[in-house]
Amino acid sequence: MNLPRYEDYEGNFLDAMTTRFGFTGKNSLIFEKRFLEDNRELTHEALAAKFAEKLNKGTENGEAYRIFRQQLSAICKKLEAAGCPPPSKGVDRWKNAKCWLREEVFPQWAKEQGLVALHPWEQLLKLATPTDKMGPKLFGMLDMGSPYEECLPLGSNIVFEVKLETPGYLLLLEKGTTGRFWCLCPSVYAPQPSLPVGVAVLPQRASGKKSFKITGSIGLEQLVAVIGKEKPSLDWLPEGSGKTLQLEERHLNELLKYLECSGDWKVLYREYTVTA
């Protein structure tokens, strides 16, 4: 997730949090001024003195500093009730809440506002259609009529099937549970990406390999198949030998640009879970 700079949106963010947590009147003032980055080094007393007129309004004793501390405590209590973890020993309560807002809440808010640039893999998923025409199967349990596995134990040996309704070039990509991206076809496991109609099984016989082994960690694995009539003009496409290509953002961005310029491609998606 490519976040915008907090400093560029701090004012809008704090205004939004004022509304979200229902801070009004003096609480609104105290929240926005205390949590503003420019005021980080100012003491409570200095801030209370700076806004004493507004804090004292409607009171008889005019104790701006007491009002500031008392209401800030109530603000922190409300943020903690909303999910802010309690501060570590020796950490100021308000500084702990400020850190939580910036590190945990701001990224969520930025995404809600459409300020977060999607990773190219997420952009690719937006182009893809969920399908039941591809997926994993346990090695040795291959049955052309059986459904694909939804859950597979870590350490399993598996094969992938892709059902092609027309002859074409297959580009099969995977996002593993570790968050890394791989090109499975073409690769050392699939040296022949131009395929006829029917069920393509990976690893291909020509690779000399029998299966893939599920490594990494438990979690969600994602598959994207890009199927077209011809080999895409991508300089990074493997030749089917050597190590399996680990995809970087630039590879995915180049693929996205290619797909935008060429409409003669089908993009399919499937996911499955790796269990303990």
Side-chain angles (χ1 to χ4, degrees):
M1 188 163 63
N2 299 315
L3 286 174
R5 284 185 359 122
Y6 176 81
E7 292 78 6
D8 293 340
Y9 292 93
E10 183 183 44
N12 293 335
F13 172 64
L14 292 178
D15 285 345
M17 294 304 101
T18 298
T19 301
R20 178 177 295 186
F21 295 111
F23 299 138
T24 58
K26 294 177 183 180
N27 277 3
S28 174
L29 173 69
I30 293 168
F31 172 73
E32 294 204 16
K33 300 306 179 183
R34 179 66 286 176
F35 286 80
L36 195 66
E37 191 65 30
D38 284 348
N39 294 335
R40 185 180 185 89
E41 301 305 322
L42 293 179
T43 64
H44 296 342
E45 191 170 8
L47 275 175
K50 189 174 182 179
F51 299 99
E53 184 178 347
K54 292 182 179 179
L55 292 173
N56 288 331
K57 188 176 181 179
T59 66
E60 295 181 0
N61 297 323
E63 298 179 11
Y65 181 42
R66 178 187 60 79
I67 294 170
F68 189 96
R69 289 188 296 107
Q70 180 177 300
Q71 296 310 108
L72 181 60
S73 177
I75 288 169
C76 290
K77 184 176 181 180
K78 193 162 191 177
L79 295 177
E80 288 164 5
C84 175
S88 303
K89 187 176 181 180
V91 177
D92 288 340
R93 197 176 181 188
W94 74 271
K95 288 183 178 179
N96 178 68
K98 176 178 172 60
C99 183
W100 173 72
L101 285 170
R102 179 164 181 165
E103 296 183 3
E104 300 294 331
V105 183
F106 176 71
Q108 299 169 13
W109 175 83
K111 191 170 184 179
E112 291 166 3
Q113 303 305 306
L115 302 174
V116 178
L118 289 178
H119 188 280
W121 180 262
E122 294 176 299
Q123 295 179 51
L124 189 59
L125 294 186
K126 283 183 171 290
L127 299 177
T129 302
T131 184
D132 59 359
K133 298 186 181 299
M134 70 174 181
K137 290 187 176 181
L138 284 167
F139 176 65
M141 302 293 288
L142 191 59
D143 179 351
M144 294 300 181
S146 63
Y148 299 119
E149 302 290 345
E150 299 290 344
C151 297
L152 287 162
L154 191 65
S156 298
N157 291 304
I158 63 170
V159 298
F160 292 113
E161 280 187 3
V162 182
K163 297 176 181 177
L164 280 77
E165 298 177 340
T166 58
Y169 188 99
L170 172 65
L171 184 59
L172 186 63
L173 313 178
E174 177 195 47
K175 179 184 179 183
T177 55
T178 60
R180 296 175 182 173
F181 306 93
W182 304 94
C183 180
L184 301 183
C185 180
S187 74
V188 66
Y189 292 93
Q192 298 172 350
S194 295
L195 300 166
V197 173
V199 178
V201 180
L202 277 70
Q204 296 174 342
R205 288 185 180 179
S207 72
K209 300 181 182 296
K210 295 183 178 181
S211 65
F212 297 93
K213 188 176 185 67
I214 298 180
T215 59
S217 58
I218 62 174
L220 192 68
E221 298 251 356
Q222 298 176 316
L223 291 174
V224 169
V226 180
I227 305 169
K229 291 182 179 180
E230 300 176 349
K231 178 181 178 179
S233 53
L234 297 167
D235 293 340
W236 52 263
L237 278 178
E239 294 298 327
S241 60
K243 292 183 178 180
T244 304
L245 176 64
Q246 181 177 337
L247 298 167
E248 300 173 2
E249 283 194 31
R250 66 178 181 87
H251 297 129
L252 297 171
N253 279 323
E254 288 176 18
L255 174 58
L256 285 168
K257 289 179 182 178
Y258 178 79
L259 293 176
E260 288 173 3
C261 297
S262 175
D264 198 19
W265 286 87
K266 183 184 295 184
V267 184
L268 304 176
Y269 169 78
R270 189 177 182 96
E271 62 184 37
Y272 61 96
T273 303
V274 176
T275 60

